[in-house]
Amino acid sequence: MSGHSHAKTVAATKNANDAKKGKIFSKMGRVITIAAKEKGGDITSNIQLKALIEKAREFNMPKENIERAIKKGTGELAGEALENVSFEGLGPGGIAIIMDGITDNTNRTLGEIKGILSQHNGKLAGEGAVRWMFERKGSIEVDLQGKSKEDLELIAIEAGADDIREESGAFYVYTKPEDLETVKKVLEEKGLKINNAAPGWFAKEEVSVDEKDKEKLQRLFEALDENDAIQDIYSNLKA
């Protein structure tokens, strides 16, 4: 995945302390609530909700937390009026950043993100100012389960995938956003293990910066990740 993604940050905190786990569960709960609100609480018809519940279980999110989040989405329980938000910005070294999240107060979250960027040598950008540098794709991280890269390529192409890449020892299958679940299902049926599957923003071209700016960017990403509303962070930083 290009640049920085929240999924990787979360993966690094599976054994985090209780406070960190609480924040992760809170963020996952919000995503589950939104998914249930948009397409209902039945996992047989809501594929996105099913995938999110599986992901939540991987992180040992308590069953009652998951059920409560679903009921908030379907209206069976009272909850905050949540909405999706997306911000664009520039970080140290002129790196372009997209920050997607879920909030119950857009104006408050906007102020918080603006402040975080300002504190870390970055700035908020207007709508569309950096998004044109990215494209929307589905991304599936695959465990080969004993199969070869060539096997994966054949299976993925037949399933309708657009691209297959090996990055840092991991294999990723890329799809059109609308084909993500269909391709994921075929890969699973062929015996491949799916570690992660989600749509995301991918930089058309990645940009290199010096070590000093890279360190500043890492601190910025960490500060953004700490914000309760931010779910995913994407950049055009070359890893």
Side-chain angles (χ1 to χ4, degrees), residues 29-205:
R30 285 185 169 192
V31 183
I32 289 169
T33 295
I34 287 284
K37 180 182 178 182
E38 290 177 347
K39 296 183 180 178
D42 184 358
I43 60 171
T44 57
S45 57
N46 190 340
I47 299 172
Q48 183 189 10
L49 179 61
K50 182 181 179 182
L52 289 169
I53 291 171
E54 288 172 359
K55 188 175 178 181
R57 285 173 178 158
E58 284 180 20
F59 290 98
N60 298 317
M61 185 172 175
K63 184 181 177 182
E64 57 269 25
N65 291 36
I66 296 172
E67 290 176 349
R68 186 162 59 246
I70 294 170
K71 287 179 179 178
K72 283 181 180 179
T74 58
E76 294 173 69
L77 284 178
E80 317 102 312
L82 299 174
E83 59 180 319
N84 290 305
V85 289
S86 187
F87 306 104
E88 300 173 48
L90 293 168
I95 290 299
I97 306 169
I98 295 177
M99 300 147 280
D100 289 346
I102 298 171
T103 182
D104 59 352
N105 188 318
T106 302
N107 288 334
R108 183 192 68 228
T109 299
L110 175 62
E112 290 171 352
I113 301 311
K114 193 174 181 179
I116 292 170
L117 287 165
S118 178
Q119 289 165 19
H120 292 83
N121 304 102
K123 63 179 181 180
L124 202 65
E127 188 176 345
V130 304
R131 201 176 298 274
W132 63 271
M133 302 180 197
F134 296 78
E135 55 187 327
R136 191 77 168 163
K137 294 181 184 179
S139 170
I140 307 170
E141 185 183 349
V142 179
D143 187 327
L144 295 183
Q145 297 289 90
K147 289 183 170 58
S148 68
K149 182 184 177 183
E150 289 71 28
D151 291 334
L152 172 61
E153 288 174 345
L154 285 172
I155 294 167
I157 290 167
E158 287 178 8
D162 289 343
D163 194 14
I164 301 98
R165 293 182 202 164
E166 183 178 359
E167 300 173 19
S168 304
F171 290 91
Y172 294 90
V173 174
Y174 295 102
T175 73
K176 294 179 180 64
E178 62 271 20
D179 294 339
L180 176 64
E181 290 301 331
T182 303
V183 175
K184 174 177 175 278
K185 187 178 179 182
V186 173
L187 295 176
E188 287 176 323
E189 287 173 349
K190 295 292 185 178
L192 295 159
K193 182 186 175 187
I194 307 302
N195 292 331
N196 189 51
W201 293 101
F202 295 84
K204 294 174 184 175
E205 289 186 29

